[in-house]
Amino acid sequence: MLTGSGSPRTQSVSIFGHTCDMPIVVAPTAMAGLVWYQSERELAKAAAASGIPFGAAMQAISSVEEITAASPGQVWFQLYFFGENEQSSEELARDLSRRAWNKGVRTLVVTMPVPGNREYRIRNGFEMPIRYSARNLYDVAAHPRWTVGVFARYLAAGRGPAFTNCPVYHRCSILSRKKPLGLMPGLSWDHIRRLRDTWKGNFVVKGILRPDDAILAAKRGADGIVVSDHGGRRFDSAVAPIQVLAEIVDEVGQQLTVIADSGVRRGSDILKFLAMGAKAVMIGRGLLYGTAVGGMSGATRMIEILRRELDTVMAMTGCIHSRDLNRDYLEISGSWGDHDRRANAAILGDAGSVSAATESEQLAEAKNVTEQS
């Protein structure tokens, strides 16, 4: 408190040699194009206007070519190893990475595959191909704004929503009966190394939750990692990234750019991750809420909410520059090592554990509007 510097607070950060206006990267999110017509392009444009990178998902509705053409900003590309066998999977990975490079992408985010048992998707029939039921057909009919404004517009454009980054012979639509490619069996660090050898840009490994895996990523040539449990949607007993972030940063923070995601909903969450040692955070779900409400303008609004929230908590801690945040700004309570995920990192400042109720209410309102649309 009472730092008396007279300098305005700043959130800018350098990531892989590029100055970003905020320590945020838009997380790659599969099928994000279903929340708004061509929403991946809309969100990419909002990210560019806000001075932050956009992560294009491999399983996006818009292709990497369409996204890079729409956005003048930094576009990162997420890559999974999909394929029936090792050879076809590595060939597809090399082909997709070449396509991304040729369109100006300079950061590749290789995501570690995590088999999951998404019971809610089985229950809702939201699979590829989609499983029709009275329940989901009623759900579509009960949301005419989405049906007409999103789904019907894709059909009118001559194509159903599909994974357009996949080659035509592997491409599937949510309306087709064709099953999508599965994850490559037997993925190892050797495959990561071989892909690294062919990629000339920044190479990021996403899905790290252990210090020893972070060390292996560095040894295989990674420039950065994302400490992530994929939003907690895959394995409900997985450790939360905030619980292991500090240990991972202590091991590889001098070698790698460490980014973190999962559970970032407001500016105070961003500050906690930065204070634990992350260079930046990835955010997916919250930005999709804004995009679902208003396309580019809704996404821009959500980014601005997070910007103001982070500025508020920085003011309460007396921190002028986000890069100066460290663990001295946090009071750690609870156990980080056991199964209790309620362990809390409270922010030390004028108000103790800082909150920004007005902004969080706006986030909740955006989510509520989305669910009703």
Side-chain angles (χ1 to χ4, degrees):
M1 298 299 295
L2 301 177
T3 55
S5 69
S7 301
R9 289 178 296 280
T10 176
Q11 302 175 15
S12 63
V13 62
S14 177
I15 305 177
F16 301 128
H18 293 273
T19 299
C20 305
D21 291 349
M22 297 175 65
I24 291 177
V25 178
V26 179
T29 309
M31 294 188 283
L34 290 178
V35 304
W36 184 272
Y37 182 63
Q38 297 181 346
S39 66
E40 287 118 347
R41 304 181 214 184
E42 297 293 295
L43 185 47
K45 290 188 288 186
S50 302
I52 62 176
F54 173 81
M58 179 176 174
Q59 293 178 303
I61 303 301
S62 294
S63 69
V64 65
E65 289 85 358
E66 292 169 328
I67 292 170
T68 52
S71 170
Q74 289 187 66
V75 175
W76 298 8
F77 184 64
Q78 177 207 37
L79 185 69
Y80 280 100
F81 278 84
F82 280 106
E84 298 172 351
N85 54 60
E86 182 178 80
Q87 181 179 352
S88 64
S89 181
E90 291 194 275
E91 287 176 355
L92 177 58
R94 287 192 296 268
D95 177 65
L96 286 171
S97 62
R98 278 194 297 267
R99 282 174 52 191
W101 179 269
N102 291 338
K103 292 302 176 181
V105 172
R106 294 297 178 264
T107 300
L108 189 67
V109 182
V110 181
T111 302
M112 297 296 96
V114 180
N117 181 31
R118 299 188 182 185
E119 295 172 347
Y120 59 92
R121 294 183 97 174
I122 297 172
R123 182 174 62 252
N124 294 331
F126 189 66
E127 302 172 276
M128 293 289 279
I130 196 165
R131 177 168 49 83
Y132 297 103
S133 67
R135 177 175 178 168
N136 57 36
L137 290 173
Y138 172 79
D139 198 35
V140 170
H143 295 83
R145 178 186 171 193
W146 178 85
T147 303
V148 175
V150 179
F151 192 64
R153 290 181 69 183
Y154 282 118
L155 296 180
R159 73 181 198 194
F163 294 153
T164 53
N165 284 315
C166 292
V168 174
Y169 51 87
H170 283 311
R171 190 172 301 167
C172 61
S173 161
I174 65 171
L175 297 176
S176 72
R177 295 292 90 193
K178 183 191 296 184
K179 287 194 174 184
L181 280 172
L183 294 169
M184 184 191 109
L187 182 65
S188 73
W189 285 107
D190 289 336
H191 300 105
I192 301 300
R193 174 78 256 182
R194 287 196 288 270
L195 182 60
R196 162 74 274 190
D197 289 342
T198 66
W199 177 256
K200 297 176 286 186
N202 309 306
F203 193 87
V204 178
V205 178
K206 184 176 186 289
I208 300 294
L209 285 174
R210 293 165 52 110
D212 54 346
D213 282 334
I215 293 170
L216 286 171
K219 289 181 177 179
R220 296 313 189 274
D223 301 295
I225 58 172
V226 182
V227 181
S228 171
D229 67 354
H230 307 294
R233 299 172 297 115
R234 290 289 191 173
F235 181 43
D236 56 4
S237 293
V239 66
I242 191 71
Q243 294 174 282
V244 295
L245 177 59
E247 187 179 1
I248 290 173
V249 169
D250 290 344
E251 286 286 350
V252 299
Q254 297 300 314
Q255 303 166 260
L256 303 176
T257 295
V258 179
I259 301 170
D261 73 7
S262 305
V264 182
R265 298 289 184 272
R266 48 197 300 179
S268 54
D269 296 327
I270 299 172
L271 188 141
K272 292 174 186 179
F273 275 95
L274 299 181
M276 281 290 188
K279 175 77 76 170
V281 299
M282 280 189 169
I283 302 179
R285 194 171 306 172
L287 299 180
L288 290 183
Y289 290 152
T291 309
V293 171
M296 177 183 173
S297 62
T300 302
R301 170 65 176 151
M302 192 62 73
I303 294 169
E304 184 57 33
I305 287 173
L306 292 167
R307 188 194 307 273
R308 290 207 314 269
E309 281 203 353
L310 179 56
D311 182 73
T312 297
V313 292
M314 286 174 61
M316 290 182 175
T317 61
C319 183
I320 301 301
H321 200 298
S322 60
R323 67 167 176 257
D324 296 328
L325 289 164
N326 56 61
R327 293 165 209 171
D328 291 340
Y329 286 91
L330 302 178
E331 177 68 30
I332 308 299
S333 62
S335 171
W336 294 95
D338 60 20
H339 186 67
D340 184 2
R341 294 168 62 99
R342 295 172 296 176
N344 183 51
I347 299 169
L348 295 176
D350 185 45
S353 182
V354 174
S355 64
T358 301
E359 304 293 4
S360 67
E361 288 168 3
Q362 289 173 316
L363 283 167
E365 179 183 354
K367 178 183 178 182
N368 185 50
V369 170
T370 304
E371 291 174 341
Q372 292 180 3
S373 334

